[in-house]
Amino acid sequence: MIEVRWHGRGGQGSFTIARLLGMAASVHGNAYAQAFPSFGPERRGAPVLGFTRIDENKITDRSEVDACDYVVVLDETLWGDNVLNGLKPNGIVLINTETPEKYKIDNVNIIALDATSLALEYLGRPITNTAMMGALVAAGDFIQLESCNNAIRESMKENIANKNIALMAKAYEMIKEGK
Amino acid sequence: MRKFISGNDAVAEGVRLARPHVISAYPITPQTIAVERLSEMVEDGSLKAEYMHVESEHSAMAAAMGVSSVGARAFTATSSQGLLYMAECLPYASGARMPIVMMNANRAIATPWNIYGDQMDSMFLLNSGWIQVYVEDAQEALDMMIQAYKIAEHPQVLAPMMVNLDGFVLTHTYELVEIPEQDKVDAFLPPIQMSKQVMALDDPKSLCISAGNDFNMEFKIKQERDLQNSVSVIESVDHEFHEAFGRKYHGMMECYKTEDADVVLITTGSITGTTRIVVDQMRAEGKKVGLLKLRYLRPFPAEQLRIALRDVKHVGVLDKNISFGYEGTIFTNVNSALSSLDTVPKTTNYIGGLGGRDITKGNIEEAFEQMMSSDHHDKIQYMNVRCEQ
């Protein structure tokens, strides 16, 4: 089972992207998936978590995600010990930052992407969730980019979907080239 | 069609397919999204129903009773404090034999105020004369909305039905759900047909009547008899559902690897799924553990439990509730059912998940290990707590 934890702030789309990844893997892929937010009141600007579980078998586990293969940070002001909590030994952290040198830790695989600049270029707004999904797809090799494109097409209006698909493709390409 | 949707969405999809005439509801976390979706469906015309945005849960049920009185199909949904506020109306509906269907998002009750999931709320209403079922995932939530009307409206049953799903863990978790086709649902669940007690403009009736000490017991005994007998309807509806849609839920309860088990844990609702994983892991280690998913609490499947558990050495009951001053409510019911066996298994009550506290796979494994060991332990065990007990 692949377990992904998304860190963001209310309004940045961290749960939306957790859900889109699950939709991509299940409805538009051949896997089963589960997606859920950190449960509780919803408040704009407050730290929130999103979770995605993906597996080839039906997922019946309803306990909280305590060990992650991937941690994705949409907003670097949330950086702290809780980002690395529960990261599996070979796990990967993906962070949205323009200063990757700040995030070098021994024995932790951290991949940086300046998703905010990319999002401003492609969407005209600093909404970074789809860019970070593109980075995750490139880093992860557990899901096809086309499945994610289909999930976006299913969930957004056509013109917005197209912009996000282009943004995701660019982020994907940058991480693949950087590898 | 397959969709990646939440438990709340699945409830709304199931209700839409069941074609209710009127939805009367008041929003409350974590049920809100279910009634929002239904309101949107009425607005966009994909559900041809009247949506009544009432001023309280008490009014929601009162309105549903009006709907049922004229022979129409009623739906409402609530949770926690809303269910308790509605409580006065529930025995009115069941005593008047109105087949209303309600979704309850299981949530903690105040004080302390808490919006997360446990099963304290619906336990208060076990005595209300409503059928109570608890579902494990979003698919079962959708499917039970369809089954519920068929069970409730059956002429031998005529009882309202509460479909319970765990707040947040089910209502707010997205997963892959198969949406049945409308024509198949229509064939499975024909339009409501209530003839005898239905009121009409040219056929006025007095409903929710009074009956004093000369008749009251006879009313209540007939109600009790029909609720007891609803077991066979519940089982046959599940069987028919399997034939029509290919999914079955094993009627009153599901036994998972219990056949040769020494130790069995009884669960209700979403924790069942987590427990399946622990059972599989421990079985792989050669440990004879099993799981009994208790789906219905009313009617209570006492005889089925006795048959399933008669050769088990130790039975654990996982309660997400406390009946203050005694123990978990399901534990009391299970012990009562098992007490007439010649050899009564040992029983332990595992109380956990209150106010949304996580129950981990480790917690469940510890419970199984404790039941397998011969060491003495207290009959009531609290899971995953920090305070002294």
Side-chain angles (χ1 to χ4, degrees):
Chain A
M1 177 143 58
I2 303 279
E3 294 180 280
V4 184
R5 187 174 68 215
W6 304 82
H7 292 249
R9 292 187 180 278
Q12 291 180 332
S14 44
F15 176 61
T16 298
I17 202 67
R19 184 172 61 76
L20 285 177
L21 180 64
M23 184 196 287
S26 58
V27 178
H28 302 288
N30 296 317
Y32 287 89
Q34 203 184 59
F36 51 99
S38 45
F39 297 139
E42 293 162 31
R43 292 162 298 170
R44 192 158 284 262
V48 290
L49 300 175
F51 302 93
T52 314
R53 286 183 166 128
I54 299 171
D55 197 44
E56 59 192 14
N57 299 310
K58 184 171 175 170
I59 301 167
T60 67
D61 193 346
R62 301 284 164 181
S63 55
E64 292 170 5
V65 170
D66 52 11
C68 310
D69 301 275
Y70 302 93
V71 172
V72 189
V73 184
L74 302 184
D75 183 328
E76 65 178 323
T77 64
L78 294 165
W79 181 262
D81 291 343
N82 62 334
V83 169
L84 299 177
N85 272 354
L87 187 67
K88 289 179 187 172
N90 294 319
I92 296 176
V93 178
L94 294 108
I95 185 163
N96 167 26
T97 180
E98 54 182 8
T99 53
E101 61 280 5
K102 276 164 62 180
Y103 303 97
K104 301 258 186 258
I105 301 173
D106 287 345
N107 303 318
V108 182
N109 189 353
I110 302 180
I111 296 174
L113 176 74
D114 183 2
T116 304
S117 297
L118 280 183
L120 286 170
E121 182 187 339
Y122 280 78
L123 308 176
R125 297 176 64 199
I127 300 296
T128 61
N129 57 357
T130 46
M132 292 308 287
M133 180 155 76
L136 174 67
V137 175
D141 282 335
F142 61 87
I143 187 166
Q144 300 291 318
L145 196 61
E146 187 54 28
S147 300
C148 297
N149 291 344
N150 288 333
I152 286 176
R153 280 188 199 105
E154 189 182 324
S155 309
M156 300 179 195
K157 285 182 184 159
E158 192 181 350
N159 61 333
I160 297 173
N162 289 340
K163 286 179 185 176
N164 277 285
I165 287 168
L167 169 59
M168 200 165 60
K170 179 66 182 174
Y172 175 90
E173 188 184 304
M174 285 171 74
I175 298 301
K176 279 287 182 199
E177 283 170 3
K179 255 186 174 176
Chain B
M1 184 177 31
R2 299 187 318 157
K3 282 189 177 178
F4 193 68
I5 56 176
S6 70
N8 271 329
D9 290 316
V11 165
E13 292 289 349
V15 171
R16 167 158 60 185
L17 290 164
R19 297 188 191 270
H21 295 94
V22 180
I23 295 149
S24 53
Y26 190 85
I28 179 170
T29 301
Q31 152 268 39
T32 313
I33 295 165
V35 294
E36 276 178 7
R37 291 286 175 274
L38 286 166
S39 156
E40 288 161 10
M41 290 169 180
V42 171
E43 178 70 18
D44 70 21
S46 62
L47 169 58
K48 303 232 177 324
E50 189 75 30
Y51 188 97
M52 294 176 69
H53 188 80
V54 291
E55 74 278 17
S56 76
E57 288 85 356
H58 191 279
S59 302
M61 184 50 61
M65 288 171 63
V67 172
S68 206
S69 297
V70 295
R73 200 169 267 169
F75 178 76
T76 188
T78 190
S79 178
S80 181
Q81 307 297 134
L83 181 68
L84 297 190
Y85 191 32
M86 183 191 280
E88 194 219 0
C89 296
L90 298 193
Y92 261 108
S94 62
R97 314 299 299 268
M98 293 172 167
I100 299 162
V101 171
M102 165 160 65
M103 165 244 196
N104 180 54
N106 284 120
R107 167 187 145 180
I109 50 177
T111 304
W113 186 78
N114 179 303
I115 61 170
Y116 299 88
D118 66 31
Q119 296 173 347
M120 293 284 274
D121 54 2
S122 52
M123 294 299 152
F124 274 80
L125 280 313
L126 279 183
N127 294 353
S128 65
W130 283 58
I131 296 173
Q132 280 200 10
V133 68
Y134 292 76
V135 303
E136 181 183 342
D137 56 27
Q139 184 73 61
E140 190 178 0
L142 186 155
D143 291 345
M144 286 316 296
M145 290 300 149
I146 298 163
Q147 284 202 23
Y149 282 102
K150 198 169 174 85
I151 294 164
E153 293 169 6
H154 193 284
Q156 287 165 23
V157 178
L158 286 178
M161 183 153 163
M162 188 189 300
V163 180
N164 290 281
L165 57 161
D166 286 316
F168 287 105
V169 174
L170 292 183
T171 58
H172 285 60
T173 295
Y174 286 69
E175 50 192 329
L176 198 58
V177 174
E178 174 76 32
I179 315 281
E181 288 157 22
Q182 183 70 62
D183 58 345
K184 278 191 175 177
V185 176
D186 290 343
F188 177 81
L189 179 69
I192 184 170
Q193 286 209 326
M194 289 171 63
S195 51
K196 282 182 191 163
Q197 71 270 52
V198 166
M199 186 154 54
L201 283 175
D202 56 0
D203 187 15
K205 285 187 168 68
S206 175
L207 298 175
C208 296
I209 55 163
S210 62
N213 53 6
D214 51 348
F215 278 116
N216 200 284
M217 265 195 86
E218 286 72 20
F219 269 102
K220 290 295 143 193
I221 286 167
K222 287 186 175 187
Q223 189 182 345
E224 162 63 359
R225 182 201 61 198
D226 286 355
L227 210 66
Q228 292 269 8
N229 290 341
S230 69
V231 170
S232 61
V233 175
I234 287 167
E235 285 172 343
S236 69
V237 166
D238 193 45
H239 183 73
E240 266 184 73
F241 188 89
H242 180 220
E243 287 186 341
F245 302 100
R247 290 184 294 279
K248 64 179 169 184
Y249 296 103
H250 310 277
M252 302 299 290
M253 60 190 214
E254 180 195 342
C255 293
Y256 186 69
K257 305 191 177 175
T258 57
E259 266 180 27
D260 61 338
D262 292 331
V263 169
V264 168
L265 186 65
I266 298 180
T267 59
T268 48
S270 62
I271 194 61
T272 305
T274 311
T275 308
R276 286 181 199 277
I277 296 168
V278 178
V279 167
D280 289 345
Q281 284 169 355
M282 294 181 79
R283 280 277 172 177
E285 296 163 8
K287 293 170 180 164
K288 287 187 171 178
V289 298
L291 158 69
L292 192 148
K293 170 186 173 183
L294 192 52
R295 300 185 66 236
Y296 284 83
L297 292 187
R298 289 294 180 273
F300 193 73
E303 182 61 23
Q304 291 91 330
L305 280 174
R306 281 192 286 274
I307 292 166
L309 299 173
R310 61 189 165 199
D311 297 325
V312 173
K313 293 181 181 135
H314 202 133
V315 176
V317 178
L318 204 162
D319 264 299
K320 285 185 171 182
N321 73 87
I322 302 177
S323 178
F324 293 113
Y326 196 24
E327 58 191 11
T329 304
I330 303 171
F331 189 57
T332 309
N333 281 264
V334 169
N335 277 328
S336 163
L338 299 183
S339 65
S340 61
L341 283 173
D342 291 336
T343 312
V344 180
K346 282 185 187 170
T347 58
T348 302
N349 195 189
Y350 293 96
I351 295 177
L354 301 182
R357 175 64 52 85
D358 195 27
I359 299 173
T360 67
K361 294 188 281 295
N363 297 145
I364 295 166
E365 187 175 356
E366 282 165 21
F368 276 123
E369 293 287 358
Q370 185 175 49
M371 286 190 282
M372 285 189 295
S373 101
S374 51
D375 299 345
H376 172 79
H377 61 265
D378 290 340
K379 215 157 177 69
I380 311 281
Q381 297 285 321
Y382 295 99
M383 305 176 94
N384 204 3
V385 288
R386 297 189 295 269
C387 64
E388 280 182 38
Q389 295 162 34

